[in-house]
Amino acid sequence: MNNINGLDTDLLAGYVENLGRDIVQQMLDLYIQQSVVYLKDINEAMIACSQSLWQESCHKMKGATGSVGLTSVHAKLVAIEKSTDAWDVKKTYTKELEALNLAAIDSFSAWLSEQS
């Protein structure tokens, strides 16, 4: 796996080759929309102090990040999904996750703009 700026560029290049740049842009756009929902669900689980909702919400986002090649966000979710740390610690994880997600989206978008 070629991991550049938190992206699985081998996976993404395969998508571009097989599906075309426009479809991959649509994938990114859909992920951006859906990641708002995932992060909202993770925040709601944290507010509710629900371990089961936390794990379920992290798991859903983890799957999506793996599908679109966001390796840095995926790795963070692997690390925190089953965490039983205190909720104030999970709040820090959530902020880190939000920042990583934005950076990964920016990296994906920049990478995609370089593809012909």
PDB file of all heavy atoms in Angstrom, residues 4 10 29 31 34 40 53 55 58 60 66 85 91-92 94 104 107 111:
ATOM      1  N   ILE A   4       0.387   8.066   1.216  1.00  0.00           N
ATOM      2  CA  ILE A   4       0.902   9.432   1.092  1.00  0.00           C
ATOM      3  C   ILE A   4      -0.117  10.386   1.711  1.00  0.00           C
ATOM      4  O   ILE A   4      -1.297  10.359   1.345  1.00  0.00           O
ATOM      5  CB  ILE A   4       1.148   9.792  -0.389  1.00  0.00           C
ATOM      6  CG1 ILE A   4       2.196   8.845  -0.994  1.00  0.00           C
ATOM      7  CG2 ILE A   4       1.585  11.240  -0.532  1.00  0.00           C
ATOM      8  CD1 ILE A   4       2.338   8.954  -2.494  1.00  0.00           C
ATOM      9  N   ASP A  10      -2.630   3.912  -3.746  1.00  0.00           N
ATOM     10  CA  ASP A  10      -2.774   2.765  -4.650  1.00  0.00           C
ATOM     11  C   ASP A  10      -4.256   2.452  -4.859  1.00  0.00           C
ATOM     12  O   ASP A  10      -4.711   2.248  -5.990  1.00  0.00           O
ATOM     13  CB  ASP A  10      -2.056   1.528  -4.113  1.00  0.00           C
ATOM     14  CG  ASP A  10      -0.537   1.657  -4.142  1.00  0.00           C
ATOM     15  OD1 ASP A  10      -0.021   2.526  -4.878  1.00  0.00           O
ATOM     16  OD2 ASP A  10       0.128   0.892  -3.421  1.00  0.00           O
ATOM     17  N   ASP A  29     -17.218  13.394  -2.572  1.00  0.00           N
ATOM     18  CA  ASP A  29     -18.320  14.286  -2.175  1.00  0.00           C
ATOM     19  C   ASP A  29     -19.298  13.571  -1.249  1.00  0.00           C
ATOM     20  O   ASP A  29     -19.746  14.142  -0.240  1.00  0.00           O
ATOM     21  CB  ASP A  29     -19.050  14.822  -3.408  1.00  0.00           C
ATOM     22  CG  ASP A  29     -18.181  15.754  -4.246  1.00  0.00           C
ATOM     23  OD1 ASP A  29     -17.158  16.261  -3.742  1.00  0.00           O
ATOM     24  OD2 ASP A  29     -18.536  15.970  -5.430  1.00  0.00           O
ATOM     25  N   TYR A  31     -18.625  10.956   0.641  1.00  0.00           N
ATOM     26  CA  TYR A  31     -17.947  10.728   1.918  1.00  0.00           C
ATOM     27  C   TYR A  31     -17.980  12.000   2.777  1.00  0.00           C
ATOM     28  O   TYR A  31     -18.231  11.934   3.981  1.00  0.00           O
ATOM     29  CB  TYR A  31     -16.499  10.249   1.742  1.00  0.00           C
ATOM     30  CG  TYR A  31     -15.822  10.195   3.085  1.00  0.00           C
ATOM     31  CD1 TYR A  31     -16.052   9.132   3.948  1.00  0.00           C
ATOM     32  CD2 TYR A  31     -15.036  11.262   3.546  1.00  0.00           C
ATOM     33  CE1 TYR A  31     -15.510   9.105   5.217  1.00  0.00           C
ATOM     34  CE2 TYR A  31     -14.492  11.244   4.815  1.00  0.00           C
ATOM     35  CZ  TYR A  31     -14.732  10.172   5.647  1.00  0.00           C
ATOM     36  OH  TYR A  31     -14.214  10.172   6.917  1.00  0.00           O
ATOM     37  N   GLN A  34     -21.376  12.300   4.255  1.00  0.00           N
ATOM     38  CA  GLN A  34     -21.638  11.251   5.222  1.00  0.00           C
ATOM     39  C   GLN A  34     -20.767  11.395   6.467  1.00  0.00           C
ATOM     40  O   GLN A  34     -21.210  11.071   7.571  1.00  0.00           O
ATOM     41  CB  GLN A  34     -21.420   9.880   4.567  1.00  0.00           C
ATOM     42  CG  GLN A  34     -22.094   8.749   5.284  1.00  0.00           C
ATOM     43  CD  GLN A  34     -23.593   8.906   5.411  1.00  0.00           C
ATOM     44  OE1 GLN A  34     -24.274   9.379   4.505  1.00  0.00           O
ATOM     45  NE2 GLN A  34     -24.120   8.544   6.559  1.00  0.00           N
ATOM     46  N   LYS A  40     -21.267  13.432  13.874  1.00  0.00           N
ATOM     47  CA  LYS A  40     -22.397  13.820  14.724  1.00  0.00           C
ATOM     48  C   LYS A  40     -22.794  12.640  15.611  1.00  0.00           C
ATOM     49  O   LYS A  40     -23.011  12.802  16.824  1.00  0.00           O
ATOM     50  CB  LYS A  40     -23.579  14.272  13.862  1.00  0.00           C
ATOM     51  CG  LYS A  40     -24.805  14.695  14.648  1.00  0.00           C
ATOM     52  CD  LYS A  40     -25.880  15.195  13.716  1.00  0.00           C
ATOM     53  CE  LYS A  40     -27.110  14.421  13.542  1.00  0.00           C
ATOM     54  NZ  LYS A  40     -27.450  13.182  14.052  1.00  0.00           N
ATOM     55  N   LEU A  53     -22.986   2.802  21.635  1.00  0.00           N
ATOM     56  CA  LEU A  53     -23.164   3.749  20.529  1.00  0.00           C
ATOM     57  C   LEU A  53     -21.820   4.282  20.037  1.00  0.00           C
ATOM     58  O   LEU A  53     -21.632   4.491  18.833  1.00  0.00           O
ATOM     59  CB  LEU A  53     -24.066   4.913  20.945  1.00  0.00           C
ATOM     60  CG  LEU A  53     -25.556   4.627  20.989  1.00  0.00           C
ATOM     61  CD1 LEU A  53     -26.322   5.852  21.495  1.00  0.00           C
ATOM     62  CD2 LEU A  53     -26.071   4.202  19.630  1.00  0.00           C
ATOM     63  N   GLN A  55     -18.934   2.671  20.049  1.00  0.00           N
ATOM     64  CA  GLN A  55     -18.306   1.630  19.232  1.00  0.00           C
ATOM     65  C   GLN A  55     -19.013   1.495  17.885  1.00  0.00           C
ATOM     66  O   GLN A  55     -18.360   1.396  16.850  1.00  0.00           O
ATOM     67  CB  GLN A  55     -18.311   0.291  19.964  1.00  0.00           C
ATOM     68  CG  GLN A  55     -17.276   0.241  21.069  1.00  0.00           C
ATOM     69  CD  GLN A  55     -17.216  -1.104  21.735  1.00  0.00           C
ATOM     70  OE1 GLN A  55     -17.780  -1.301  22.799  1.00  0.00           O
ATOM     71  NE2 GLN A  55     -16.526  -2.042  21.122  1.00  0.00           N
ATOM     72  N   CYS A  58     -18.187   4.649  15.693  1.00  0.00           N
ATOM     73  CA  CYS A  58     -16.792   4.596  15.232  1.00  0.00           C
ATOM     74  C   CYS A  58     -16.623   3.508  14.180  1.00  0.00           C
ATOM     75  O   CYS A  58     -15.923   3.706  13.182  1.00  0.00           O
ATOM     76  CB  CYS A  58     -15.842   4.354  16.398  1.00  0.00           C
ATOM     77  SG  CYS A  58     -15.634   5.767  17.512  1.00  0.00           S
ATOM     78  N   LYS A  60     -18.836   2.317  12.034  1.00  0.00           N
ATOM     79  CA  LYS A  60     -19.410   2.746  10.751  1.00  0.00           C
ATOM     80  C   LYS A  60     -18.462   3.688  10.015  1.00  0.00           C
ATOM     81  O   LYS A  60     -18.225   3.537   8.816  1.00  0.00           O
ATOM     82  CB  LYS A  60     -20.756   3.444  10.967  1.00  0.00           C
ATOM     83  CG  LYS A  60     -21.879   2.513  11.316  1.00  0.00           C
ATOM     84  CD  LYS A  60     -23.157   3.301  11.530  1.00  0.00           C
ATOM     85  CE  LYS A  60     -24.276   2.434  12.033  1.00  0.00           C
ATOM     86  NZ  LYS A  60     -25.472   3.231  12.359  1.00  0.00           N
ATOM     87  N   GLY A  66     -12.047   3.351   5.341  1.00  0.00           N
ATOM     88  CA  GLY A  66     -11.291   2.307   4.661  1.00  0.00           C
ATOM     89  C   GLY A  66     -11.668   2.207   3.192  1.00  0.00           C
ATOM     90  O   GLY A  66     -10.808   2.028   2.332  1.00  0.00           O
ATOM     91  N   ASP A  85     -11.686   4.406  27.649  1.00  0.00           N
ATOM     92  CA  ASP A  85     -11.174   5.561  28.375  1.00  0.00           C
ATOM     93  C   ASP A  85     -12.333   6.429  28.862  1.00  0.00           C
ATOM     94  O   ASP A  85     -13.460   6.325  28.379  1.00  0.00           O
ATOM     95  CB  ASP A  85     -10.255   6.399  27.472  1.00  0.00           C
ATOM     96  CG  ASP A  85      -8.941   5.687  27.164  1.00  0.00           C
ATOM     97  OD1 ASP A  85      -8.500   4.860  27.984  1.00  0.00           O
ATOM     98  OD2 ASP A  85      -8.374   5.958  26.091  1.00  0.00           O
ATOM     99  N   LYS A  91     -13.568  12.797  24.420  1.00  0.00           N
ATOM    100  CA  LYS A  91     -13.840  14.109  23.830  1.00  0.00           C
ATOM    101  C   LYS A  91     -12.602  14.599  23.068  1.00  0.00           C
ATOM    102  O   LYS A  91     -12.706  15.147  21.970  1.00  0.00           O
ATOM    103  CB  LYS A  91     -14.237  15.109  24.918  1.00  0.00           C
ATOM    104  CG  LYS A  91     -14.661  16.449  24.390  1.00  0.00           C
ATOM    105  CD  LYS A  91     -15.176  17.363  25.492  1.00  0.00           C
ATOM    106  CE  LYS A  91     -15.724  18.633  24.884  1.00  0.00           C
ATOM    107  NZ  LYS A  91     -16.377  19.475  25.872  1.00  0.00           N
ATOM    108  N   THR A  92     -11.428  14.385  23.653  1.00  0.00           N
ATOM    109  CA  THR A  92     -10.173  14.733  22.980  1.00  0.00           C
ATOM    110  C   THR A  92     -10.012  13.902  21.716  1.00  0.00           C
ATOM    111  O   THR A  92      -9.634  14.424  20.663  1.00  0.00           O
ATOM    112  CB  THR A  92      -8.979  14.507  23.922  1.00  0.00           C
ATOM    113  OG1 THR A  92      -9.160  15.319  25.086  1.00  0.00           O
ATOM    114  CG2 THR A  92      -7.660  14.855  23.256  1.00  0.00           C
ATOM    115  N   THR A  94     -12.319  12.720  19.874  1.00  0.00           N
ATOM    116  CA  THR A  94     -13.280  13.212  18.888  1.00  0.00           C
ATOM    117  C   THR A  94     -12.750  14.458  18.189  1.00  0.00           C
ATOM    118  O   THR A  94     -12.858  14.581  16.967  1.00  0.00           O
ATOM    119  CB  THR A  94     -14.644  13.488  19.562  1.00  0.00           C
ATOM    120  OG1 THR A  94     -15.097  12.282  20.187  1.00  0.00           O
ATOM    121  CG2 THR A  94     -15.675  13.946  18.565  1.00  0.00           C
ATOM    122  N   ALA A 104      -7.542  14.828   5.966  1.00  0.00           N
ATOM    123  CA  ALA A 104      -7.592  13.729   4.995  1.00  0.00           C
ATOM    124  C   ALA A 104      -8.452  14.100   3.794  1.00  0.00           C
ATOM    125  O   ALA A 104      -8.097  13.794   2.648  1.00  0.00           O
ATOM    126  CB  ALA A 104      -8.126  12.469   5.667  1.00  0.00           C
ATOM    127  N   SER A 107      -6.399  16.353   1.692  1.00  0.00           N
ATOM    128  CA  SER A 107      -5.379  15.585   0.982  1.00  0.00           C
ATOM    129  C   SER A 107      -5.980  14.823  -0.193  1.00  0.00           C
ATOM    130  O   SER A 107      -5.409  14.799  -1.285  1.00  0.00           O
ATOM    131  CB  SER A 107      -4.695  14.589   1.923  1.00  0.00           C
ATOM    132  OG  SER A 107      -3.922  15.261   2.879  1.00  0.00           O
ATOM    133  N   TRP A 111      -5.023  15.470  -3.992  1.00  0.00           N
ATOM    134  CA  TRP A 111      -4.519  14.345  -4.789  1.00  0.00           C
ATOM    135  C   TRP A 111      -5.372  14.158  -6.041  1.00  0.00           C
ATOM    136  O   TRP A 111      -4.847  13.995  -7.140  1.00  0.00           O
ATOM    137  CB  TRP A 111      -4.518  13.065  -3.933  1.00  0.00           C
ATOM    138  CG  TRP A 111      -4.076  11.862  -4.700  1.00  0.00           C
ATOM    139  CD1 TRP A 111      -2.798  11.430  -4.866  1.00  0.00           C
ATOM    140  CD2 TRP A 111      -4.899  10.959  -5.431  1.00  0.00           C
ATOM    141  NE1 TRP A 111      -2.773  10.297  -5.667  1.00  0.00           N
ATOM    142  CE2 TRP A 111      -4.061   9.983  -6.016  1.00  0.00           C
ATOM    143  CE3 TRP A 111      -6.273  10.853  -5.639  1.00  0.00           C
ATOM    144  CZ2 TRP A 111      -4.540   8.936  -6.786  1.00  0.00           C
ATOM    145  CZ3 TRP A 111      -6.757   9.813  -6.412  1.00  0.00           C
ATOM    146  CH2 TRP A 111      -5.892   8.869  -6.980  1.00  0.00           C
TER     147      TRP A 111
END
